[in-house]
Amino acid sequence: MGKQSVTDIASETDPGERATPEAPIPGPVRRFGPVLLGLSAIVPPLMMLREVLRYPQMHFYDYWWVLLDLTDDDGSLRPEALFGFRNEHPFVLPSLLFWLSARFGHGLNQPLGLVIIAFGVASVLLVWAMLPKSLNPWQRAGLVAAAATLVFNPHGIHNYVRSMSGASWILALMLVLAALLAMQREHRVLAIVFGLLASISYGTSFAVWPALALVAWLRGDRRRWVATPLVVGFLVVASWLVLRGPQGGGGASPTDDPAQALLAGLSMLGMVWTGTEPSIALIAGVAGLAVLVLHVRQTREEFRSAAPWWGLAVYAAGCAVMISGSRAAFGEAAGLQSRYNSMTAALWIAVLVIVVAWPRWPKVRTVAVAGTVLATVALGAPMAQSVRSDAPNQNLLAIAARIGHPDAFEDRFPEPDRLLPRLQALGHYPFSGEFTLGCPDGLEIGDRVSTADWRTPSDGALREPRPDGRDVVLNVETDQIQGGARMLKGWAISGIERADCVAVLDQTGTVIGGGVVDIPRSDAEAQTPGIEIGLGFEAVAPAQPGPVRVAFHFPDGWWIRPLTESPQVKS
């Protein structure tokens, strides 16, 4: 076989396609091109790293339920709880990660997110290790870059920035890929071990067992090694059925409508090909499966080489079947959840490898890989933005928990009477040294400050004309009691500057609460032409009697205004 002369990721063309001579590749491109293309695979994890480091340190909803199950009132571990279930899923390894984060990592979201990124990187490396040796350097580099893009796709941002989610989904993907690689390389016992570890990470990993059996069968292994994964998988599922906790946990019951189930499962497989439209995702999912069917005519040797990729596709399809059966009743967009990205990534990685390594249409291979990378990243923008936009709520929850009044956040912070003492005993965020209001001068909850030199806008309109004719506006439009918390919402501006910190003080000058700023408020920005977005704020303080003031820090210093002593009470 002669030297390659094209940069296309195709290694060969059909005889009928060779009539037109191809221009030779310059030496530097031939030598360094594949390396540079392969190095581009580091861009997606680096972009996701930026997202993780920007996201709040406060963990998300499911983490708190698991922590309640794992710990006693004093924060000590209940070892037997590691072997419990979460919404019927076996959850041993994620529970262990949660405990290690709580006990030794101050319960911070970002460090656990870094661990999940490491799992994602390991998944890409496992894909690289499984690639057929027949591929040329361009093909290998292109597929590794595509795999990195799919694993770290913006559609799956939930798994990384809300690290409690990736602790199950991305960990499970990594272990499934490790099992398939081990089976490919005839380390069959090791494959079973990785399959078991995946099965105690999340219930959808049960799909690894038929995938391993298929790999063994396509490779021509002895019947006992084809049967062993099926037998082990049967025992795993049977044990789960016997040991799992009460059914339910989280919403409506599974649907009995086959059409609804098909919509959920197929749209999950195609979710990376749309922003928010289930119908487009469904068409994409069907298209991906159709491409696999069109490539199913392979020789015995091709099937042997392609076995792990067919196994990966079966794993993804199995996950879709399980999700469609359990989540379809949650609505037509049930299959577009950000956390499902790891499974749709598994399908499309398998599709791309099969299309490139065993092509039916050689000329479209480069387009297929490049198009998948570009389109899925761009289409993931709406999902990523929806997750980012929730970050202020997480920061506000951290402040509410720190002051002991997370009453307004029951949908994301369960059973505070039980949970808060555990967090305090563990030194868990937000009761760790990493907690901060983010004020430039270091103002924190509990500090007592003199406000003598802080400026106060005029009473009534609360506007203070500046010498240059610009105004200060400290607008508190919502002042409401919810349980033991006082919730504030509004917008603030000084001249053309937005606030960079908000704090709530009592009559003695003690900081009793705080909040988040830089929240987009299109209505306020319409009243202040020429101002950047982000004038909004939200704050929380204890619902205590006596005068309370809210203060804002701007580049020109602190401004402060009083609050009414008769806030609205939410019924």
Side-chain angles (χ1 to χ4, degrees):
M1 188 173 178
K3 292 183 179 179
Q4 297 294 326
S5 61
V6 291
T7 58
D8 188 356
I9 60 171
S11 58
E12 294 182 358
T13 56
D14 292 339
E17 298 172 347
R18 295 177 182 167
T20 303
E22 294 162 339
I25 303 175
V29 175
R30 183 188 305 111
R31 183 176 180 183
F32 298 110
V35 175
L36 295 175
L37 179 59
L39 287 175
S40 70
I42 69 174
V43 174
L46 287 177
M47 296 299 290
M48 195 60 72
L49 173 63
R50 185 182 69 165
E51 297 284 355
V52 168
L53 295 179
R54 287 179 171 181
Y55 208 72
Q57 292 284 18
M58 196 70 170
H59 274 294
F60 207 69
Y61 187 68
D62 284 352
Y63 175 90
W64 305 119
W65 282 112
V66 176
L67 194 64
L68 282 170
D69 291 339
L70 286 177
T71 56
D72 288 316
D73 292 341
D74 62 356
S76 59
L77 176 67
R78 297 174 56 240
E80 70 279 5
L82 288 171
F83 301 95
F85 296 83
R86 176 65 188 148
N87 288 346
E88 299 186 13
H89 289 276
F91 215 67
V92 179
L93 296 186
S95 293
L96 181 59
L97 283 174
F98 289 2
W99 164 245
L100 293 173
S101 171
R103 179 65 180 83
F104 301 105
H106 294 175
L108 299 173
N109 174 51
Q110 291 177 8
L112 187 55
L114 300 181
V115 173
I116 309 309
I117 287 178
F119 292 160
V121 171
S123 298
V124 175
L125 293 175
L126 288 165
V127 168
W128 171 74
M130 282 197 296
L131 290 175
K133 292 182 171 55
S134 59
L135 297 176
N136 67 36
W138 285 99
Q139 292 171 325
R140 296 180 70 85
L143 288 171
V144 169
T149 301
L150 288 164
V151 171
F152 292 98
N153 200 276
H155 281 91
I157 189 175
H158 184 119
N159 287 314
Y160 299 96
V161 301
R162 298 175 180 174
S163 58
M164 39 64 60
S165 189
S168 52
W169 297 105
I170 305 299
L171 173 61
L173 174 66
M174 180 187 73
L175 293 169
V176 166
L177 288 168
L180 293 171
L181 176 62
M183 187 64 82
Q184 179 195 37
R185 297 192 174 180
E186 301 183 5
H187 303 304
R188 302 179 183 91
V189 174
L190 193 57
I192 299 298
V193 171
F194 281 126
L196 289 171
L197 291 174
S199 295
I200 60 174
S201 297
Y202 215 61
T204 50
S205 297
F206 294 167
V208 72
W209 301 110
L212 290 176
L214 178 65
V215 173
W217 179 63
L218 292 177
R219 287 182 52 80
D221 291 349
R222 294 181 179 180
R223 291 182 180 177
R224 62 173 180 168
W225 288 113
V226 177
T228 297
L230 296 177
V231 172
V232 174
F234 174 81
L235 293 175
V236 167
V237 174
S239 300
W240 168 71
L241 289 171
V242 171
L243 298 174
R244 67 177 176 171
Q247 296 189 29
S253 60
T255 181
D256 57 1
D257 181 358
Q260 187 76 11
L262 276 173
L263 174 60
L266 291 171
S267 62
M268 188 218 79
L269 292 176
M271 61 175 284
V272 292
W273 290 98
T274 183
T276 57
E277 289 296 327
S279 57
I280 297 176
L282 183 146
I283 294 170
V286 171
L289 296 176
V291 169
L292 289 175
V293 170
L294 291 172
H295 284 75
V296 79
R297 294 179 58 187
Q298 293 182 320
T299 66
R300 189 176 190 85
E301 188 56 37
E302 286 175 335
F303 267 129
R304 180 180 176 84
S305 180
W309 307 108
W310 290 108
L312 186 60
V314 165
Y315 163 74
C319 290
V321 169
M322 286 185 277
I323 288 171
S324 66
S326 61
R327 306 295 290 183
F330 284 73
E332 65 176 14
L336 303 187
Q337 307 274 337
S338 179
R339 60 183 179 272
Y340 298 157
N341 181 76
S342 60
M343 288 163 288
T344 190
L347 175 73
W348 289 98
I349 289 170
V351 168
L352 289 179
V353 173
I354 290 171
V355 165
V356 170
W358 301 278
R360 290 293 173 266
W361 314 286
K363 286 186 176 180
V364 307
R365 288 181 289 189
T366 300
V367 174
V369 174
T372 298
V373 169
L374 295 176
T376 58
V377 170
L379 289 168
M383 180 72 75
Q385 185 55 40
S386 69
V387 174
R388 292 188 199 108
S389 65
D390 187 62
N393 293 320
Q394 286 297 100
N395 280 326
L396 194 60
L397 167 60
I399 297 169
R402 178 61 178 256
I403 65 176
H405 295 286
D407 307 69
F409 297 93
E410 60 183 9
D411 60 336
R412 58 180 70 210
F413 195 78
E415 302 191 24
D417 291 343
R418 296 178 57 214
L419 188 53
L420 288 174
R422 287 167 164 80
L423 301 188
Q424 291 172 322
L426 287 165
H428 188 295
Y429 188 87
F431 298 99
S432 65
E434 290 81 8
F435 175 83
T436 178
L437 290 179
C439 296
D441 57 0
L443 191 74
E444 299 292 351
I445 290 175
D447 290 352
R448 187 170 181 175
V449 295
S450 171
T451 61
D453 59 347
W454 293 12
R455 289 167 289 181
T456 302
S458 302
D459 291 337
L462 298 172
R463 301 171 69 93
E464 185 69 19
R466 300 285 297 277
D468 55 7
R470 295 178 297 180
D471 292 332
V472 172
V473 180
L474 310 181
N475 177 26
V476 180
E477 60 195 13
T478 300
D479 185 355
Q480 189 175 75
I481 301 296
Q482 290 186 241
R486 187 168 184 173
M487 307 299 298
L488 307 172
K489 181 179 179 181
W491 57 276
I493 186 172
S494 175
I496 61 171
E497 302 290 348
R498 55 193 175 189
D500 51 31
C501 170
V502 58
V504 183
L505 292 78
D506 65 11
Q507 63 269 38
T508 69
T510 301
V511 180
I512 59 172
V516 294
V517 294
D518 198 21
I519 299 175
R521 284 289 305 267
S522 58
D523 56 340
E525 289 138 18
Q527 301 179 45
T528 54
I531 304 301
E532 296 182 7
I533 64 172
L535 301 184
F537 76 91
E538 295 184 23
V540 59
Q544 63 187 43
V548 176
R549 296 170 291 170
V550 60
F552 302 87
H553 188 275
F554 296 96
D556 63 351
W558 283 96
W559 286 81
I560 191 168
R561 60 155 289 179
L563 296 173
T564 176
E565 293 192 40
S566 302
Q568 179 187 3
V569 178
K570 184 175 182 180
S571 57

